[in-house]
Amino acid sequence: MGNFYCVAFKMNELEAERLALFKGLGFNAIEFIFAPNESLNAEALRYCSSLAQGFNFQHFGIQLQSLPISPSDIMNQALQEIGRKPDSIVFTPVNKSTATDSTGFQKLFWSLTELGYEVLGNDHFVSPESPLASAQKRNHLLRNSLGYNCQNVSDSLGLGPGNASAIGNLRSTNPDALDKYLVHDFDQYTIESTHPHIKQAINQLLCHHQLDLSYFKQRYQLDLAQLLNSLISRMHFDPNHSLFEIKDNILTLTTFGILQLTALCMGLHQQFSQTSFNHQP
């Protein structure tokens, strides 16, 4: 399985010379970013597809920063008309209220799974043939601040103005302005205080839609199934739909659970933050 080196462009940044430059530098994957004021339609997707094909990028993805007005109709029409479909579609709403509301993700879920895409976490959709889908099936999928990868990469280094770095539990963001970036003290960083058991539980849900209950019981004396059931009862989910199933101490989210994954992760984080646990090294 080859490595992917991805470059992302906003739609108003697309120039043939820039794409050729990054392709010449060895980037073999490209992502097109649709800002909230840029409409997703068949014409725009055909254009992105032709650029990815013309510059011979092995991987072609799109990022949606807002939900299309009629995602089902648009995605069906657009994806069936273009020659090369995106290998990945990522939903990263810039509106904070939309980001914490799973309604947009749920609409995209039904539209894109009907078209054959598989879901990663609560914001990524990938083709079944993609390396990310294969890594998820083999439990080799990792997630960092830049998204999912199948290359065992947990850290990210931000180069250039406005980019962020996440190395271990250290976090830093470069200044947006070039003049401030050129004189920036790169020794400045913050330390993420999130406890390891919180990150591990949420990462397992986001990467695999599963939880290894035995691991958390042995490592942290934590009964995640009981905690989840308590959380679900307080969040007033539809009682006619189960959010997960348990077999051989592996908790697996149902389709309804995946659709409610944003709320579950937020609830778990809040619950964990209010609870003390013993840690066995």
Side-chain angles (χ1 to χ4, degrees), residues 2 14 17 27 31 43 63 90 109 122 126 161 163 178 202 204 206 213 217 223 230 251 259 261 263 272 277:
L14 291 177
E17 293 81 2
F27 288 85
E31 183 177 71
E43 182 181 358
Q63 179 186 144
V90 185
F109 176 89
N122 61 347
V126 296
N163 290 313
L178 180 59
I202 292 177
Q204 282 193 19
L206 289 174
L213 300 179
K217 187 71 172 179
D223 189 339
S230 174
L251 181 150
L259 292 174
L261 185 50
F272 280 145
F277 300 99

Side-chain angles (χ1 to χ4, degrees), residues 103-156:
T103 305
F105 165 70
Q106 292 175 14
K107 291 180 179 178
L108 284 176
F109 176 89
W110 295 116
S111 299
L112 296 180
T113 53
E114 185 178 343
L115 291 168
Y117 284 89
E118 298 183 5
V119 61
L120 307 181
N122 61 347
D123 55 8
H124 278 59
F125 299 88
V126 296
S127 65
E129 301 81 15
S130 76
L132 292 177
S134 300
Q136 185 189 49
K137 293 181 177 67
R138 302 194 322 271
N139 289 329
H140 289 168
L141 193 66
L142 283 182
R143 181 183 177 95
N144 60 23
S145 60
L146 296 178
Y148 293 94
N149 71 83
C150 50
Q151 298 151 286
N152 201 31
V153 177
S154 56
D155 296 332
S156 58

Side-chain angles (χ1 to χ4, degrees), residues 89-228:
I89 298 173
V90 185
F91 182 50
T92 55
V94 295
N95 185 301
K96 291 185 177 180
S97 62
T98 305
T100 57
D101 180 5
S102 60
T103 305
F105 165 70
Q106 292 175 14
K107 291 180 179 178
L108 284 176
F109 176 89
W110 295 116
S111 299
L112 296 180
T113 53
E114 185 178 343
L115 291 168
Y117 284 89
E118 298 183 5
V119 61
L120 307 181
N122 61 347
D123 55 8
H124 278 59
F125 299 88
V126 296
S127 65
E129 301 81 15
S130 76
L132 292 177
S134 300
Q136 185 189 49
K137 293 181 177 67
R138 302 194 322 271
N139 289 329
H140 289 168
L141 193 66
L142 283 182
R143 181 183 177 95
N144 60 23
S145 60
L146 296 178
Y148 293 94
N149 71 83
C150 50
Q151 298 151 286
N152 201 31
V153 177
S154 56
D155 296 332
S156 58
L157 179 63
L159 301 177
N163 290 313
S165 298
I167 302 175
N169 64 342
L170 303 181
R171 302 289 182 268
S172 65
T173 303
N174 300 337
D176 290 326
L178 180 59
D179 56 343
K180 294 182 179 180
Y181 171 78
L182 293 175
V183 297
H184 181 62
D185 180 5
F186 290 97
D187 288 333
Q188 297 180 1
Y189 56 84
T190 58
I191 299 177
E192 184 185 42
S193 58
T194 306
H195 195 281
H197 67 262
I198 301 177
K199 292 183 64 176
Q200 290 176 17
I202 292 177
N203 279 340
Q204 282 193 19
L205 286 173
L206 289 174
C207 287
H208 309 296
H209 296 152
Q210 291 184 331
L211 288 171
D212 186 338
L213 300 179
S214 296
Y215 170 81
F216 288 96
K217 187 71 172 179
Q218 296 170 9
R219 184 71 181 257
Y220 303 110
Q221 292 77 56
L222 178 61
D223 189 339
L224 275 182
Q226 182 181 16
L227 191 150
L228 274 172

Side-chain angles (χ1 to χ4, degrees), residues 234-275:
R234 296 197 306 273
M235 297 181 74
H236 307 293
F237 289 115
D238 186 346
N240 296 318
H241 294 87
S242 174
L243 272 72
F244 60 81
E245 300 171 346
I246 298 176
K247 182 178 180 181
D248 298 330
N249 276 317
I250 299 296
L251 181 150
T252 302
L253 295 179
T254 62
T255 297
F256 186 72
I258 294 172
L259 292 174
Q260 301 298 333
L261 185 50
T262 299
L264 280 177
C265 288
M266 292 176 62
L268 277 175
H269 192 282
Q270 183 179 14
Q271 179 70 27
F272 280 145
S273 301
Q274 298 171 351
T275 310

